[in-house]
């Protein structure tokens, strides 16, 4: 399946970015190296529990394994940085941050356009 191959490619890229060998990651997951190779080529489907462990070993969220590579898009890099910082917060802080983000993004917080019969200042 195409998604298995895509996830495998992302696992490989993140593993290499972290400076880990395939053997390092296979050992950390407790799987034979040939399974790791099959994961990365998409020949073997990664079980959700393994996907969770892989993301943990690579220091990323599982969601990151499903995201497209931003390839230089600053907005995407900002979002990725924000998600990584969010992952480091304790649970109570995450709740507060989410509440603040929801409040800031609510329509009440966004300035309204000037009325049609008035010109902006």
């Amino acid at each position: 399946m195409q998604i298995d191959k895509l996830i495998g490619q992302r696992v490989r890229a993140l593993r290499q970015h972290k400076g880990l060998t395939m053997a390092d990651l296979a050992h950390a997951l407790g799987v034979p190296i040939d399974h790791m190779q099959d994961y990365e080529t998409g020949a073997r489907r990664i079980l959700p529990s393994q996907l969770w462990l892989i993301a943990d070993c690579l220091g990323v969220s599982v969601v990151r394994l499903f995201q497209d590579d931003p390839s230089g898009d600053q907005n995407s890099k900002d979002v990725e940085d924000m998600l990584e910082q969010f992952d480091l917060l304790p649970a109570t802080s995450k709740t507060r941050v989410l509440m603040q983000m929801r409040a800031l993004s609510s329509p009440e917080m966004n300035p309204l356009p000037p009325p049609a019969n008035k010109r902006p200042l």
Side-chain angles (χ1 to χ4, degrees), residues 2-13 39-40 46 51 62 65-67:
Q2 183 65 16
I3 189 69
D4 297 324
K5 187 173 181 178
L6 189 59
I7 296 298
Q9 290 170 348
R10 290 178 182 157
V11 167
R12 177 184 294 132
Y39 290 157
E40 290 189 1
I46 304 173
L51 199 59
V62 174
L65 298 174
F66 290 88
Q67 292 174 328

Side-chain angles (χ1 to χ4, degrees), residues 5 13 18 20 24 35 45 66 73 77 83 98 114 118:
K5 187 173 181 178
K18 292 281 186 182
L20 297 172
D24 294 334
H35 283 200
R45 182 167 286 169
F66 290 88
D73 180 10
K77 288 180 182 178
L83 289 172
L98 283 173
K118 301 247 182 178

Side-chain angles (χ1 to χ4, degrees), residues 44-63:
R44 181 183 295 263
R45 182 167 286 169
I46 304 173
L47 296 172
S49 58
Q50 287 294 85
L51 199 59
W52 187 272
L53 289 172
I54 289 170
D56 189 51
C57 289
L58 296 174
V60 298
S61 68
V62 174
V63 174

